[in-house]
Amino acid sequence: MSPLQEQTEQRGLEIFDLVDQNPESIFSKAGFYQRMMAFSMRDEHFKVQMFRFVDVLASLRHSSDIVQHLGEYFADMRNGSVPFLQTGIKAARIFPWLTAPILRWNVSGMARQFIAGRDPEDVMKMLRKRRQEKIGFTVDLLGEAVVSEQEANEYAERCFNLLDGLAERTRGWTDPLGKNTDLFPVVNVSVKISALYSQMNPADPEDAIAHLAPKLRPILRRAREVGAFINFDMESYAHKNTTLELFRTLFTEPEFRDWPHAGIVIQAYLRDAERDLTDLIEWGKQRGTRFTVRLVKGAYWDYEKIKAAQNGWRVPVWLQKPESDANFEACTRILLENESIVTAAFGSHNVRSIAHAQAYAQQLGIDKSRFEFQLLYGMAGPIKRALVEMGYRVREYCPVGELLPGMSYLVRRLLENTSNEGFLKAKFSDKAGPEQLLRDPRSLIGGKRSHSSPKAPSHSRNGQSLDTPPGDTYENSPLVNFVHRQSQEQMRTALREMKAKLGQKYPIVINGQKIWTDHLIDSINPSSPTQVVGAVAEAHVEHAEQAVTAAKKAFEHWCRVSVEHRAGLLERVATIMDRRRFELSALEVFEVGKPWAEADGDIREAIDFLLFYAQQMRLRGLPRLTQHVPGEESYQHYWPRGVALVIAPWNFPMAILTGMVSAAIVTGNTVIMKPAEQSAVCGAMLMEMFEEAGVPPGVLNFLPGKGRVIGQHLVDHKDVHMIAFTGSREVGLRIWKSAGETREGQLELKRVVCEMGGKNAVIIDSDADLDEAIVDSIYSAFGYQGQKCSALSRLIVLEGNYDRVVKRLVEAAASLRVGNPETPGILVGPVIDETAYRRQLEIIETGKKEATLAFQGTVPPEGFFVPPTIFTGVKPDMRVAREEIFGPVLSVMKARDLDEAIRIANDTDYALTAGFFSRSPANIERVKAELVAGNVYINRSCTGAVVGRHPFGGFKMSGGGTKAGGGDYLLQFLVPRVVTENIMRHGFAPDTTPEFRAPFGHSLDS
Ligand SMILES: Cc1cc2nc3c(=O)[nH]c(=O)nc-3n(C[C@H](O)[C@H](O)[C@H](O)COP(=O)(O)OP(=O)(O)OC[C@H]3O[C@@H](n4cnc5c(N)ncnc54)[C@H](O)[C@@H]3O)c2cc1C
């Protein structure tokens, strides 16, 4: 055993001895909390319901609401596990006036266990008590998620009050150890960066720093004046780099360069931790003044893992608990080895982690008074006392704030205390022995320790048969994670390079031939309308005729090409698209005004369509037995329809176009592709990529031109067999009608896949989590300027929440970043063109007459920027409530109750997307059943459908097709056929018939 391990164990045992001398339960407050925690550890379902109930409780105003929620969360609990609950629920129904206050009191008590006080004055009682116990403090201000600059300013104000209040009330307090006191000011405040700026965007750290630094400087100045210490807490991974950069920027400035009383957090559960720590230390050495690092494992482990899985990102955290523990120890050693420049604060309740730090400090001869242990208020009291007794410096992290904003903090603590992986549970609940608890974590790491972060498994299953959910057989392509500097740089470079080559010309492509015409259509940049992004040759009717002939001819061959070969083509296009990813995103920024992340999302979706449809066609490509019956076999299989006309919109210029084109091609049809005029260059790029991937001549023909001219001509053409259209209701209905007519010489009934708009509604229930509801509603309404067919247009708010929602919503809208989307982090850019611009301004004027203008933003003078606008007091019959606007305009409507809210939401011609924010299980169930929309989203934004995961599309006037990105989408491009053969000869037939068989006839491979 190494001397360090020996020392660690010795220290650990000493701590355990001291802990056992003060055998206070880890769950020190008896009664309700103790019972809740015990049940939570025993029953996972109860735990989930309990924590959700705790989360909603503070927002419930009436006793009847509390009792109703109690029933909804726990009514289905099995009696055996929590018998007292059943009795409680029954009693609550009879005596709500008695039960509700008791419950609230109990949960408040639970919260008070972790929240040290309501405000600076309130917290003093507790701080004085701790002072007697020789425990110091750092105070953290709890708050709601900051959704607006107004709220961010209020947080800053609270920081000043806290600093002043604490300084005033602790005057004369001295350091508990009386040694190295200059390193550890008595007043210590922990701040959360995200609470000081509402528009933090990982893609734009410079903007965040430009906003945060001026807000923080006066706080730091005040802290310095009153002799306090400021610590920057660390939050989710998305904000990590910005927080580090901000810290370095501020504390390199001449004013703060020589100030030693600043600290920052390193989260050892991150794979980046060691590198970040050494970078910080290097910076510290250059700066030449001490600073502090609080080393923790990290509070957002589950969140980071889930986020990474959802977006297909590398998981930033270690996946095995001992890996985090071992990394904590590695960082501990680095910190202590650099004691001359950095003061270490070890934030842990894990006796092994603590003992290792003690042992290593002793090995290096560092005095106990030169570093400290920090522990959370309300947790591990006996460990704190043990450390004090051993002569170490102990500081308690004390959250201060009201109950409602404190709920997310409370739930994090409850999760931590009941985590199967956690030290506290192992020691105090599972009663694990010291030898087990003090093992070297390196010896516990199972399998191989992965040095590069693995990609998050996005699906628990990855089956390959039709019995598996279609989305589950497919793993989505990842989004670009703009949190990484490298991704930001790649995007900036792509934008620069794209800017340099704007203005190129692109030909029509028919039968593999490039054709130039005498007229070019300019595609312009909506942020800067004098800038021509590119120009495409305009196709006329004669080109349309040539394209039909070419497609018809190519079909004769392509319809017999094997599924494998066609799927391979799509996969090659996906690879090329991935290679050109940043370039294509940059093009979208210029051509259609997409903000960075939206542009990347569009390219990602296009790649997903290619790969998903390739895979779906492989699954459906083989003839499949319809039924087992002796003596006869019947196989169903599919034929392509023929020539497909694809007419696409500009708002998802790559994704929707690619989706329709790739579905048509992989199913064996040939295609005439007509992109929207406003995004014709994106169309030309798709053509280029298909050509590079080896699409045979005539299989895909690129025909940019005017919808009224070639579009109409092709829709009516007798040799066009199907039309895949996404766009406006007006054009869609015209196509639908026109395709219904059978023309001279036409041999097929035309199939139309028609996707149109929406007038999407989101309802906010009276118990909704407003932090989430506001952020997601703002994003759904104003993300990409509201130009998504899924965008939120009508926000229906239940009466009880109306005033609060409107206030926060308006403040949040006022804080939005509006501007040229070349700048990262812009949420609202320009609308697509002058026609859209004029129409939207006109509707806004109408809105001003019929409803109340609650908010109108300001916009840059040049470009087609429509100010984000919110109307309140909107009634269902008003124009702003009925017409699709397709721009950044949100109508807010008040509803008496959920019945009325659902009625209003459903009272529209459209049925595309809809959403609901609520924490009532019964209301959620009801809305799932009753909202009339193709895609219903609960407690999240109503935009951002992911291929395979959220098959997308509506009904009523929103569309007449089935879900894009879903398992049955391809069927619309196919004709089903069944071939039946009598296989009985003179009373004899084979015993079995295979479920799948080879395709009929010979398929071609090229
Ligand atoms: C004073 C103080 C301040 C803090 N400040 C912050 C802060 O600013 N930002 C922040 O993010 N956290 C912060 N934390 C840390 C966090 O809130 C938890 O308290 C801490 O991670 C618990 O670790 P532990 O060593 O006490 O317990 P342990 O039980 O030893 O460790 C639990 C931790 O291990 C990690 N973990 C759990 N499961 C796994 C797994 N399967 N694989 C890998 N790792 C896993 C998680 O980080 C989990 O929290 C702070 C903690 C303290 C005590």
Side-chain angles (χ1 to χ4, degrees), residues 232-235 265 267 269 294 296-301 318-325 328 347-350 353 374-376 379 395 397 413 416 419 421-424:
F232 288 13
D233 278 4
M234 197 57 87
E235 302 169 72
V265 173
Q267 296 157 314
Y269 68 4
R294 178 199 299 154
V296 303
K297 280 164 205 161
Y300 309 87
W301 187 83
W318 297 108
L319 294 177
Q320 298 180 46
K321 168 72 166 55
E323 289 182 301
S324 293
D325 292 336
F328 188 94
S348 174
H349 309 110
N350 183 324
S353 307
Q374 298 191 353
L375 295 92
L376 299 177
M379 285 170 65
R395 190 179 297 280
Y397 183 97
R413 293 289 74 80
E416 191 170 321
S419 158
E421 305 260 23
F423 176 86
L424 290 179

XYZ file of all heavy atoms in Angstrom, residues 232-235 265 267 269 294 296-301 318-325 328 347-350 353 374-376 379 395 397 413 416 419 421-424, ligand 1:
408
model
N -17.084 32.480 -8.123
C -17.940 32.200 -9.284
C -18.321 30.721 -9.227
O -17.452 29.864 -9.390
C -17.201 32.445 -10.596
C -16.941 33.894 -10.935
C -17.106 34.892 -9.997
C -16.557 34.247 -12.220
C -16.864 36.225 -10.321
C -16.309 35.573 -12.555
C -16.458 36.570 -11.600
N -19.590 30.443 -8.993
C -20.039 29.044 -9.025
C -19.984 28.527 -10.454
O -19.977 29.309 -11.400
C -21.473 28.940 -8.497
C -21.508 28.919 -6.980
O -20.439 29.053 -6.364
O -22.609 28.765 -6.420
N -19.953 27.234 -10.581
C -19.939 26.664 -11.936
C -21.277 25.973 -12.182
O -21.776 25.256 -11.324
C -18.789 25.666 -12.055
C -18.417 25.336 -13.464
S -17.967 26.759 -14.478
C -16.230 26.925 -14.133
N -21.832 26.220 -13.369
C -23.145 25.647 -13.666
C -23.006 24.572 -14.742
O -22.062 23.812 -14.711
C -24.094 26.783 -14.053
C -24.190 27.808 -12.919
C -24.895 29.058 -13.331
O -26.100 29.011 -13.501
O -24.218 30.094 -13.493
N -14.916 27.619 -9.566
C -15.136 26.198 -9.294
C -14.612 25.346 -10.441
O -14.779 25.695 -11.611
C -16.653 25.936 -9.104
C -16.941 24.442 -8.983
C -17.174 26.676 -7.885
N -15.124 21.431 -11.782
C -15.977 20.254 -11.562
C -15.215 18.999 -12.016
O -14.988 18.795 -13.202
C -17.269 20.370 -12.383
C -18.154 21.537 -11.962
C -19.096 21.966 -13.081
O -18.672 22.110 -14.228
N -20.346 22.193 -12.747
N -16.113 16.020 -12.198
C -16.815 15.025 -13.020
C -16.667 15.302 -14.507
O -17.069 14.502 -15.336
C -18.278 14.874 -12.619
C -19.242 16.031 -12.884
C -18.885 17.195 -13.546
C -20.563 15.920 -12.447
C -19.796 18.219 -13.770
C -21.485 16.936 -12.665
C -21.086 18.089 -13.331
O -21.978 19.096 -13.552
N -12.423 26.234 -5.899
C -13.233 25.263 -5.152
C -13.366 24.029 -6.048
O -13.870 24.109 -7.163
C -14.620 25.822 -4.847
C -15.502 24.808 -4.122
C -16.973 25.142 -4.209
N -17.293 26.413 -3.608
C -18.342 27.142 -3.984
N -19.129 26.744 -4.962
N -18.600 28.293 -3.404
N -15.012 20.584 -6.829
C -16.208 19.775 -6.510
C -16.288 18.655 -7.546
O -15.541 18.653 -8.522
C -17.499 20.616 -6.575
C -17.435 21.801 -5.640
C -17.785 21.082 -8.010
N -17.232 17.739 -7.336
C -17.455 16.754 -8.403
C -18.415 17.350 -9.416
O -18.138 17.345 -10.609
C -17.940 15.425 -7.819
C -16.743 14.651 -7.270
C -17.069 13.520 -6.353
C -15.860 13.293 -5.447
N -16.205 12.546 -4.249
N -19.512 17.916 -8.948
C -20.397 18.590 -9.898
C -21.841 18.209 -9.682
O -22.151 17.071 -9.345
N -22.716 19.181 -9.884
C -24.110 19.021 -9.487
C -25.043 18.657 -10.635
O -26.229 18.494 -10.429
C -24.596 20.307 -8.824
N -24.544 18.564 -11.845
C -25.477 18.414 -12.974
C -25.198 17.135 -13.764
O -25.349 17.107 -14.981
C -25.361 19.634 -13.911
C -25.480 20.956 -13.193
C -24.368 21.575 -12.631
C -26.718 21.576 -13.059
C -24.473 22.775 -11.958
C -26.832 22.780 -12.390
C -25.706 23.370 -11.838
O -25.828 24.558 -11.178
N -24.793 16.092 -13.094
C -24.340 14.892 -13.789
C -25.430 14.287 -14.681
O -25.203 14.048 -15.866
C -23.836 13.858 -12.764
C -23.204 12.674 -13.405
C -21.926 12.574 -13.852
C -23.831 11.426 -13.697
N -21.713 11.336 -14.407
C -22.869 10.604 -14.331
C -25.119 10.904 -13.503
C -23.137 9.315 -14.750
C -25.386 9.611 -13.920
C -24.406 8.830 -14.540
N -17.556 12.104 -16.712
C -17.166 10.694 -16.573
C -18.419 9.870 -16.348
O -19.382 10.353 -15.735
C -16.211 10.518 -15.387
C -14.912 11.236 -15.534
C -14.520 12.351 -14.859
C -13.830 10.898 -16.420
N -13.275 12.736 -15.268
C -12.825 11.862 -16.230
C -13.627 9.889 -17.351
C -11.625 11.843 -16.924
C -12.436 9.865 -18.053
C -11.455 10.833 -17.838
N -18.372 8.646 -16.803
C -19.590 7.840 -16.695
C -19.583 6.900 -15.504
O -20.615 6.394 -15.082
C -19.813 7.050 -17.989
C -20.119 7.950 -19.195
C -20.259 7.138 -20.460
C -21.374 8.771 -18.961
N -18.393 6.642 -14.956
C -18.338 5.799 -13.759
C -18.038 6.686 -12.559
O -17.142 7.527 -12.620
C -17.223 4.766 -13.877
C -17.381 3.794 -15.024
C -16.204 2.804 -15.063
O -15.812 2.260 -14.029
N -15.657 2.589 -16.230
N -18.753 6.443 -11.500
C -18.567 7.265 -10.304
C -17.105 7.268 -9.838
O -16.545 8.336 -9.534
C -19.524 6.770 -9.210
C -19.287 7.301 -7.821
C -19.671 8.743 -7.680
C -19.779 9.221 -6.260
N -18.623 9.035 -5.402
N -16.430 6.097 -9.786
C -15.027 6.132 -9.337
C -14.138 6.976 -10.251
O -13.094 7.473 -9.818
C -14.595 4.656 -9.379
C -15.859 3.870 -9.356
C -16.900 4.715 -10.007
N -14.533 7.151 -11.524
C -13.732 8.004 -12.410
C -13.792 9.458 -11.924
O -12.788 10.169 -11.932
C -14.240 7.915 -13.852
C -13.943 6.580 -14.514
C -14.418 6.523 -15.957
O -15.622 6.703 -16.203
O -13.584 6.287 -16.838
N -14.990 9.892 -11.513
C -15.103 11.258 -10.964
C -14.305 11.374 -9.674
O -13.626 12.377 -9.438
C -16.566 11.610 -10.679
O -17.282 11.696 -11.872
N -14.414 10.335 -8.843
C -13.682 10.359 -7.566
C -12.174 10.425 -7.814
O -11.451 11.198 -7.171
C -14.003 9.105 -6.736
C -15.445 9.104 -6.249
O -16.037 10.198 -6.145
O -15.979 8.012 -5.982
N -11.195 13.758 -9.053
C -11.205 14.709 -7.937
C -9.856 14.643 -7.218
O -9.250 15.667 -6.876
C -12.352 14.356 -6.979
C -12.589 15.363 -5.887
C -13.519 16.380 -6.040
C -11.884 15.289 -4.686
C -13.748 17.312 -5.022
C -12.094 16.209 -3.669
C -13.027 17.226 -3.834
N -14.758 20.981 -2.013
C -16.209 20.932 -1.802
C -16.701 19.509 -1.939
O -17.010 19.061 -3.047
N -16.749 18.808 -0.827
C -17.179 17.398 -0.895
C -17.677 16.950 0.467
O -17.258 17.456 1.502
C -15.996 16.521 -1.315
O -16.356 15.160 -1.252
N -18.596 15.958 0.408
C -19.031 15.330 1.657
C -18.466 13.923 1.762
O -18.805 13.176 2.669
C -20.561 15.235 1.691
C -21.219 16.531 1.380
N -21.915 16.751 0.215
C -21.251 17.690 2.064
C -22.367 17.996 0.198
N -21.968 18.584 1.310
N -17.656 13.578 0.797
C -17.137 12.213 0.714
C -15.864 12.104 1.568
O -14.860 12.773 1.308
C -16.842 11.905 -0.756
C -16.363 10.497 -0.967
O -15.636 9.947 -0.139
N -16.769 9.909 -2.078
N -12.654 11.394 -0.292
C -12.111 12.539 -1.034
C -11.468 13.536 -0.074
O -10.406 14.094 -0.352
C -13.222 13.251 -1.810
O -13.931 12.347 -2.611
N -15.262 22.730 2.144
C -16.567 23.381 2.056
C -17.635 22.300 1.937
O -17.471 21.339 1.182
C -16.614 24.309 0.841
C -15.589 25.439 0.929
C -15.801 26.503 -0.135
O -16.627 26.363 -1.030
N -15.035 27.575 -0.047
N -18.710 22.475 2.687
C -19.807 21.497 2.644
C -21.122 22.248 2.558
O -21.190 23.431 2.909
C -19.786 20.594 3.888
C -18.539 19.683 4.001
C -17.438 20.361 4.805
C -18.881 18.347 4.624
N -22.146 21.567 2.099
C -23.410 22.248 1.892
C -24.202 22.354 3.191
O -24.157 21.440 4.037
C -24.253 21.503 0.853
C -23.635 21.382 -0.536
C -24.533 20.556 -1.450
C -23.384 22.755 -1.156
N -26.360 19.417 5.141
C -25.881 18.076 4.815
C -24.613 17.757 5.596
O -23.780 18.627 5.804
C -25.609 17.974 3.312
C -26.913 17.868 2.531
S -26.731 18.023 0.773
C -25.782 16.599 0.354
N -16.039 25.574 5.806
C -16.966 26.635 5.378
C -18.238 25.965 4.883
O -18.190 24.941 4.207
C -16.321 27.448 4.261
C -17.090 28.716 3.906
C -16.375 29.492 2.798
N -15.055 29.964 3.193
C -14.825 31.041 3.922
N -15.842 31.767 4.362
N -13.590 31.403 4.232
N -21.742 26.153 2.703
C -22.348 26.815 1.543
C -23.826 27.000 1.859
O -24.573 26.021 2.006
C -22.162 25.914 0.332
C -22.651 26.453 -0.987
C -21.765 27.062 -1.874
C -23.976 26.305 -1.378
C -22.198 27.528 -3.105
C -24.410 26.764 -2.606
C -23.519 27.372 -3.468
O -23.937 27.815 -4.690
N -30.734 18.613 -4.260
C -30.193 18.036 -3.023
C -30.861 16.708 -2.704
O -30.223 15.759 -2.273
C -30.398 18.996 -1.839
C -29.606 20.281 -1.911
C -28.111 20.124 -1.710
N -27.390 19.557 -2.817
C -27.002 20.235 -3.914
N -27.266 21.502 -4.051
N -26.337 19.633 -4.879
N -29.419 14.133 -4.849
C -28.059 13.800 -4.429
C -28.091 12.871 -3.212
O -27.333 11.916 -3.126
C -27.342 15.100 -4.092
C -25.853 14.942 -3.904
C -25.172 16.312 -3.824
O -25.578 17.221 -4.578
O -24.277 16.468 -3.004
N -29.183 9.359 -4.250
C -28.492 8.730 -5.376
C -27.808 7.432 -4.941
O -27.124 7.389 -3.921
C -27.443 9.689 -5.933
O -26.473 8.963 -6.632
N -25.374 6.161 -6.198
C -23.916 6.271 -6.364
C -23.293 7.108 -5.252
O -22.084 7.153 -5.117
C -23.601 6.964 -7.698
C -24.214 6.309 -8.899
C -23.229 5.440 -9.638
O -22.235 5.007 -9.016
O -23.455 5.210 -10.828
N -24.126 7.817 -4.496
C -23.602 8.846 -3.602
C -22.942 8.287 -2.341
O -23.341 7.243 -1.820
N -21.971 9.036 -1.853
C -21.259 8.645 -0.646
C -22.200 8.682 0.560
O -22.195 7.786 1.406
C -20.079 9.595 -0.416
C -19.364 9.319 0.862
C -18.359 8.372 0.914
C -19.725 9.963 2.038
C -17.721 8.085 2.113
C -19.096 9.691 3.237
C -18.087 8.747 3.274
N -23.007 9.736 0.648
C -23.814 9.907 1.849
C -24.783 8.755 2.044
O -24.973 8.257 3.136
C -24.566 11.239 1.777
C -23.675 12.477 1.918
C -24.499 13.742 1.820
C -22.897 12.452 3.229
C -19.595 23.703 -0.868
C -19.962 23.102 -2.168
C -20.096 23.906 -3.265
C -20.425 23.357 -4.491
N -20.491 24.140 -5.606
C -20.752 23.571 -6.810
C -20.758 24.330 -7.999
O -20.523 25.527 -8.038
N -21.047 23.680 -9.170
C -21.294 22.334 -9.210
O -21.552 21.795 -10.293
N -21.265 21.609 -8.091
C -21.008 22.181 -6.908
N -20.965 21.403 -5.780
C -21.015 19.934 -5.947
C -22.340 19.219 -5.949
O -23.354 20.019 -5.668
C -22.357 17.937 -5.129
O -22.547 18.310 -3.811
C -21.153 17.079 -5.202
O -20.876 16.732 -6.538
C -21.306 15.838 -4.385
O -20.062 15.208 -4.346
P -19.476 14.531 -3.017
O -18.017 14.431 -3.176
O -19.977 15.276 -1.850
O -20.219 13.133 -2.962
P -19.998 11.761 -3.722
O -21.140 10.937 -3.294
O -18.638 11.234 -3.532
O -20.118 12.122 -5.245
C -21.342 12.336 -5.888
C -21.011 12.985 -7.204
O -20.338 12.076 -8.083
C -20.670 12.363 -9.417
N -21.282 11.136 -9.999
C -22.412 10.506 -9.612
N -22.652 9.408 -10.373
C -21.626 9.323 -11.248
C -21.281 8.412 -12.295
N -22.037 7.342 -12.579
N -20.170 8.638 -13.010
C -19.382 9.702 -12.762
N -19.648 10.597 -11.782
C -20.752 10.423 -11.034
C -21.648 13.520 -9.364
O -20.913 14.703 -9.517
C -22.210 13.446 -7.974
O -22.680 14.710 -7.517
C -20.633 21.952 -4.568
C -20.497 21.149 -3.463
C -20.171 21.695 -2.260
C -20.049 20.796 -1.082
